[in-house]
C-alpha cells in the first residue's frame, strides 16, 4: 500500500479518539482527556506502574493496563514523547501510598520529559522511581546514548506488574524491573518504512531492499541489504546478539513481535523459522510469545526479543493478568459501553505564581513584535528544517518548532496590559512550550526557559537586596546574561549533549556563552550561526540521528551536507529575535 494512504488522514485528534475507544472495553478505565492519560481504578493499595511514550506503538502501552501489569498510561502524539506536564498528571491521577514505578523506553525525549516529571512529582511529595529500558542490540558503541527501547519493555511491564500485584514494596519492584531490563535484548528488521497518517512526502525503501536495526519511529536501520531468503534473514538477525546470549545455559522466553504490517500467516512463518534456528543454537525456550506487542504503526517488519529467565522470572511471567494485549488469558467480562461521558475525567487545575507582579517590566508591544518575527522566521524555514530532519531524524523537528511558536504567539496576543514582567513571561513561555511541543526539543526548550525564569527571579531578588548595600547595581542585560548562563548549566544537568554532539546545543551553547561574556546580541547570534554550520561535518552521538547509518545521510565533498535540524531551529529563533530588535 502506498505510504500516506489511511482511513484517518482527515480525522482530528487521532490519539485522543483511540484512547476514548478503549473506555468501551473496560469499565475500570478512566481517561484524563486533556492530558491523554488513561488509568485504571484500584481496588487495593499497591505499588502503581506507569508507562507511556509516543503513540503509534499500539497496543503499547494502553493495551497493558490491567491487574498484574500497568496501572497508568501516558500517551504522546504519534512518535513524540508526552510532555512532563502530561506525565505529572498521570503520576497524580491515583493515590499512591506505596509509590509509583515508571517504566520508560530509552529515548532522549522520554528520558527528559519523564525525568522532569519525576522532579516535579517528588517536589509534591510523590514517591516515584524510574527504570529506563534499552534492549536494542543493533546499537553498538554509543555508550553516551545507550540502547533504544524496543519490544522488550513489555517483559518488564509483565514481570514487574506481577510482583507489584503481590504487595511488594517500591524498592523490590524497582529492583526486579531493573533486573528484567538488564536481561533482555531485541533486534528488529523491516521491509520498508511505516506510513505516518497525515504526513506527506514519505520515502520508501527500494522494492528489493530491507533494513536491519530499523527503529520504531521510522529511523533508518544500521544495515541495508537486498532481500535474501527467510532463513538467511533470520541468520542475519541472530548475528546481532552476543555469543553469551546462547552460551550460558540459562532458559529463556522469546517474543516474536509484529511491527504492525505483517499478516498473521507471515508472522507465524517467520516465528517458526526463528524458533528453529534458536533451538539449533542450543537455546532452552521455556516460553514463546508470537503476536503484536509494540508496533511502529503499520511497519512491515518484525523484532525478536530474548529474555533470560533468571530465578523467579518465569513464575511472574506466567502470573495471571487482565491486560487485554497480553496473550493466552481467559476472556473476562468487559461490561457494557454505557456511561462513557461520566468516566471521562477532567484534569485538575494547577496553581501558579502571581503573574500580576511586575519586577522587570517589558513593553508588551515589544514582546509581541519579537514573537511575531520569530513565527515568521520559523514559517519561512520550517520546510527546510523538516527536510533536514526527514534525512537525519524522524521528520517532525520543523513542525514541532512551528507548533510551539504559534502557541507562544497565541499566548502573547492575549496580553492586555501595556507592560509585562519579563520573569513571568519566561515562566509562561516554558509552560506553553511544554504543553504544545512535546518530544525531545519541547522538553529541552521547556527546561531552558523554566530555568531561565528561575535564575532571573533569583538574580533579581539578590539585586534588590544589594541596592541598600555597597554592592554594585547590574542592569537588565547583565542580569539576562548571568541568567542565561545559569539556565544553560541547569539544562546540562538533564542532557548529555554538548558542543560537537550534533544537536541544538551546538547553536545554543555558543550563543549563551558569547552573550554572557559580551552582552552583544548580534555577536552571539553570529557565533550561533557558526555553530549551525559546524554540525554539517559532525557525526551525531545523541538523539535519533545517532542511530542512523552514515550512508543514509547526504554526503557532499567528503563531509555531511545536512546540518542538524534542531541547531537550525534554534538559530532560526535567535535570528527572529534579532530582526525584531534591530
Amino acid at each position: 500500500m502506498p505510504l500516506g494512504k489511511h482511513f484517518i488522514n482527515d480525522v482530528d485528534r487521532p490519539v485522543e479518539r483511540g484512547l476514548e475507544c478503549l473506555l468501551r472495553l473496560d469499565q475500570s478505565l478512566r481517561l484524563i482527556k486533556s492530558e491523554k492519560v488513561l488509568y485504571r481504578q484500584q481496588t487495593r493499595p499497591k505499588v502503581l506502574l506507569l508507562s507511556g511514550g509516543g503513540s503509534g506503538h499500539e497496543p503499547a502501552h494502553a493495551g497493558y493496563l490491567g491487574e498484574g501489569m500497568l496501572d497508568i498510561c501516558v500517551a504522546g502524539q504519534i512518535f513524540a514523547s508526552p510532555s512532563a506536564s502530561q506525565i505529572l498528571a498521570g503520576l497524580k491521577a491515583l493515590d499512591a501510598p506505596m509509590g509509583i514505578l515508571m517504566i520508560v523506553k530509552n529515548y532522549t525525549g522520554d528520558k527528559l520529559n519523564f525525568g522532569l516529571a519525576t522532579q516535579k512529582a517528588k517536589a509534591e511529595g510523590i514517591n516515584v522511581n524510574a527504570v529506563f529500558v534499552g534492549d536494542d542490540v543493533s546499537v553498538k558503541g554509543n555508550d553516551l546514548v545507550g540502547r533504544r527501547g524496543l519490544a522488550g519493555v513489555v517483559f518488564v511491564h509483565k514481570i514487574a506488574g506481577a510482583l507489584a500485584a503481590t504487595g511488594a514494596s517500591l524498592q523490590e519492584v524497582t529492583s526486579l524491573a531493573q533486573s528484567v531490563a538488564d536481561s533482555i535484548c531485541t533486534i528488529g528488521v523491516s521491509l520498508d518504512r511505516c506510513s505516518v497518517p497525515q504526513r506527506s512526502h514519505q520515502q520508501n525503501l527500494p522494492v528489493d531492499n530491507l533494513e536491519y536495526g530499523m527503529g520504531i519511529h521510522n529511523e533508518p536501520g544500521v544495515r541495508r541489504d537486498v532481500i535474501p531468503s527467510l532463513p538467511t534473514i533470520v541468520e542475519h538477525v541472530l548475528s546481532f546478539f552476543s555469543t553469551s546470549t546462547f552460551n550460558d545455559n540459562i532458559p529463556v522466553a522469546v517474543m516474536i513481535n509484529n511491527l504492525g504490517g505483517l499478516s498473521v500467516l507471515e508472522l507465524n512463518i517467520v516465528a517458526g523459522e526463528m524458533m528453529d534456528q534458536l533451538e539449533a543454537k542450543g537455546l532452552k525456550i521455556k516460553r514463546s510469545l508470537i503476536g503484536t506487542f509494540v508496533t511502529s504503526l503499520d511497519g512491515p517488519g518484525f523484532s525478536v526479543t530474548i529474555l533470560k529467565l533468571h530465578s523467579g522470572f518465569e513464575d511472574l511471567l506466567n502470573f495471571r493478568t487482565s491486560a487485554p494485549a497480553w496473550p493466552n488469558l481467559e476472556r473476562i467480562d468487559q461490561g457494557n459501553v454505557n456511561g462513557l461521558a461520566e468516566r471521562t475525567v477532567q484534569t485538575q487545575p494547577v496553581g501558579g505564581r502571581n503573574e500580576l507582579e511586575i519586577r522587570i517590566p517589558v513593553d508588551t508591544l515589544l514582546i509581541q513584535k519579537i514573537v511575531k518575527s520569530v513565527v515568521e522566521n520559523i514559517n519561512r524555514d520550517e520546510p527546510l528544517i523538516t527536510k533536514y530532519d526527514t534525512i537525519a531524524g524522524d521528520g517532525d523537528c520543523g513542525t514541532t518548532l512551528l507548533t510551539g511558536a504559534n502557541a507562544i504567539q497565541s499566548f502573547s496576543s492575549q496580553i492586555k496590559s501595556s507592560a509585562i514582567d519579563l520573569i513571568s513571561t519566561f515562566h509562561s513561555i516554558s509552560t506553553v512550550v511544554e504543553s504544545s511541543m512535546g518530544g525531545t526539543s519541547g522538553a529541552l526548550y521547556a527546561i531552558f526557559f523554566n530555568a531561565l525564569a528561575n535564575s532571573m527571579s533569583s538574580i533579581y531578588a539578590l539585586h534588590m537586596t544589594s541596592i541598600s548595600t555597597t554592592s554594585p547595581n547590574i542592569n537588565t542585560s547583565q542580569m539576562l546574561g548571568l541568567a542565561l548562563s545559569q539556565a544553560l548549566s541547569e539544562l546540562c544537568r538533564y542532557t548529555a549533549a554538548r558542543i560537537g554532539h550534533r544537536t541544538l546545543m551546538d547553536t545554543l551553547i555558543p550563543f549563551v556563552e558569547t552573550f554572557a561574556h559580551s552582552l552583544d546580541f548580534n555577536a552571539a547570534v553570529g557565533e550561533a550561526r557558526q555553530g549551525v554550520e559546524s554540525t554539517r561535518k559532525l557525526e551525531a552521538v545523541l538523539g535519533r540521528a545517532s542511530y542512523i547509518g552514515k550512508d543514509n545521510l547526504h554526503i557532499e565533498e567528503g563531509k555531511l551536507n545536512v546540518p542538524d535540524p534542531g541547531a537550525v531551529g534554534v538559530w532560526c529563533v535567535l535570528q527572529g529575535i534579532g530582526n525584531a530588535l534591530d
Side-chain angles (χ1 to χ4, degrees):
M1 184 174 73
L3 295 183
K5 189 175 182 180
H6 296 276
F7 292 110
I8 62 171
N9 277 339
D10 62 346
V11 171
D12 292 331
R13 305 180 301 106
V15 174
E16 290 90 334
R17 291 184 63 173
L19 293 174
E20 288 168 358
C21 181
L22 297 178
L23 293 177
R24 299 177 178 273
L25 306 181
D26 187 342
Q27 289 287 323
S28 73
L29 294 182
R30 299 293 183 269
L31 174 64
I32 304 177
K33 192 172 179 180
S34 62
E35 304 299 327
K36 296 185 279 295
V37 172
L38 193 67
Y39 65 94
R40 49 186 298 274
Q41 298 286 82
Q42 302 296 303
T43 59
R44 56 190 171 82
K46 61 180 283 293
V47 171
L48 302 179
L49 266 62
L50 179 152
S51 192
S55 296
H57 306 305
E58 291 74 15
H61 293 272
Y64 301 112
L65 288 170
E67 179 68 25
M69 286 193 81
L70 298 180
D71 304 289
I72 307 162
C73 171
V74 187
Q77 297 296 349
I78 293 174
F79 292 171
S81 166
S83 70
S85 59
Q86 287 179 259
I87 299 161
L88 183 61
L91 290 169
K92 296 167 68 173
L94 292 166
D95 291 333
M98 294 184 67
I100 304 174
L101 173 63
M102 301 193 304
I103 300 171
V104 187
K105 298 189 298 299
N106 184 39
Y107 291 95
T108 305
D110 294 272
K111 290 188 74 172
L112 288 166
N113 282 300
F114 279 85
L116 179 56
T118 299
Q119 298 305 313
K120 290 184 175 184
K122 288 182 176 179
E124 296 189 28
I126 299 173
N127 189 14
V128 55
N129 285 349
V131 168
F132 295 96
V133 180
D135 51 317
D136 183 2
V137 294
S138 75
V139 177
K140 301 180 186 299
N142 196 341
D143 294 334
L144 193 60
V145 178
R147 293 174 172 178
R148 294 178 288 200
L150 299 177
V153 71
V154 179
F155 278 137
V156 186
H157 294 340
K158 180 65 187 68
I159 294 175
L163 183 64
T166 68
S169 69
L170 177 60
Q171 185 54 48
E172 290 171 326
V173 177
T174 303
S175 178
L176 179 73
Q178 187 62 64
S179 180
V180 176
D182 293 338
S183 303
I184 52 179
C185 46
T186 301
I187 176 68
V189 59
S190 188
L191 300 170
D192 208 345
R193 307 277 186 262
C194 68
S195 180
V196 183
Q198 302 175 356
R199 183 180 292 180
S200 59
H201 308 300
Q202 302 183 59
Q203 294 182 334
N204 296 84
L205 290 184
V207 68
D208 60 345
N209 278 201
L210 56 66
E211 283 188 348
Y212 300 96
M214 183 180 283
I216 56 173
H217 305 96
N218 251 354
E219 308 99 315
V222 298
R223 173 179 162 191
R224 182 182 295 185
D225 278 340
V226 173
I227 300 173
S229 67
L230 177 60
T232 302
I233 292 171
V234 171
E235 234 175 73
H236 289 168
V237 166
L238 295 182
S239 71
F240 283 86
F241 292 103
S242 66
T243 54
S244 64
T245 303
F246 308 108
N247 294 338
D248 57 12
N249 296 318
I250 298 175
V252 301
V254 176
M255 176 189 291
I256 311 297
N257 171 57
N258 186 352
L259 288 174
L262 296 188
S263 68
V264 175
L265 174 65
E266 188 166 12
L267 183 68
N268 285 341
I269 295 170
V270 167
E273 178 65 32
M274 183 68 68
M275 297 298 179
D276 286 346
Q277 292 199 27
L278 286 172
E279 289 173 342
K281 289 179 175 288
L283 221 57
K284 186 178 181 181
I285 302 173
K286 298 293 292 290
R287 180 78 187 272
S288 57
L289 297 93
I290 303 167
T292 303
F293 300 97
V294 176
T295 64
S296 179
L297 290 169
D298 61 353
F302 68 91
S303 65
V304 55
T305 301
I306 298 175
L307 164 68
K308 294 185 178 181
L309 291 173
H310 295 293
S311 177
F313 284 13
E314 187 177 1
D315 288 343
L316 293 169
L317 192 63
N318 294 328
F319 192 92
R320 186 183 183 280
T321 176
S322 62
W326 185 258
N328 306 320
L329 298 175
E330 292 180 15
R331 184 175 296 277
I332 61 172
D333 180 16
Q334 297 175 334
N336 60 58
V337 299
N338 297 325
L340 299 185
E342 290 78 6
R343 292 188 289 123
T344 299
V345 182
Q346 300 300 317
T347 185
Q348 296 297 314
V350 179
R353 55 184 51 80
N354 178 12
E355 301 294 350
L356 297 178
E357 178 188 2
I358 295 183
R359 291 157 288 183
I360 304 176
V362 181
D363 189 331
T364 298
L365 292 178
L366 176 60
I367 294 293
Q368 292 171 338
K369 179 183 177 184
I370 290 172
V371 172
K372 181 174 182 288
S373 177
V374 169
V375 170
E376 289 174 348
N377 243 33
I378 297 173
N379 260 310
R380 181 198 67 204
D381 290 346
E382 181 274 323
L384 185 60
I385 296 172
T386 297
K387 176 184 175 182
Y388 289 154
D389 197 39
T390 301
I391 296 169
D394 57 6
D396 68 348
C397 183
T399 53
T400 297
L401 184 61
L402 184 58
T403 299
N406 284 332
I408 294 171
Q409 186 170 41
S410 177
F411 151 74
S412 68
S413 68
Q414 298 173 35
I415 302 171
K416 303 303 181 185
S417 57
S418 60
I420 188 171
D421 177 49
L422 182 60
I423 298 171
S424 297
T425 300
F426 287 143
H427 270 299
S428 297
I429 289 174
S430 173
T431 301
V432 170
V433 164
E434 183 182 332
S435 63
S436 64
M437 288 182 68
T440 300
S441 58
L444 291 170
Y445 279 109
I447 291 172
F448 183 74
F449 276 108
N450 191 68
L452 180 58
N454 290 340
S455 296
M456 284 289 287
S457 182
S458 299
I459 294 167
Y460 174 80
L462 185 63
H463 169 63
M464 294 305 292
T465 302
S466 69
I467 287 178
S468 58
T469 69
T470 57
S471 300
N473 287 340
I474 60 174
N475 59 33
T476 300
S477 294
Q478 291 169 320
M479 278 194 279
L480 186 58
L482 183 57
L484 283 167
S485 184
Q486 292 178 1
L488 180 62
S489 296
E490 185 68 14
L491 178 60
C492 287
R493 292 180 57 201
Y494 294 95
T495 176
R498 299 295 186 270
I499 289 177
H501 287 166
R502 189 178 161 84
T503 69
L504 61 80
M505 300 294 274
D506 285 289
T507 304
L508 183 61
I509 290 174
F511 168 77
V512 170
E513 290 181 345
T514 302
F515 185 81
H517 176 72
S518 67
L519 302 183
D520 185 332
F521 186 86
N522 290 331
V525 172
E527 290 298 317
R529 178 61 184 172
Q530 291 186 36
V532 173
E533 291 303 313
S534 72
T535 63
R536 292 182 183 272
K537 53 191 176 184
L538 295 174
E539 181 179 340
V541 295
L542 287 166
R544 288 179 183 162
S546 64
Y547 301 122
I548 297 172
K550 294 178 186 177
D551 57 353
N552 285 293
L553 291 172
H554 290 179
I555 297 179
E556 182 178 279
E557 295 178 357
K559 60 183 180 180
L560 296 180
N561 192 37
V562 180
D564 179 71
V568 176
V570 172
W571 180 76
C572 185
V573 171
L574 295 173
Q575 186 187 45
I577 296 172
N579 291 342
L581 294 176
D582 285 344

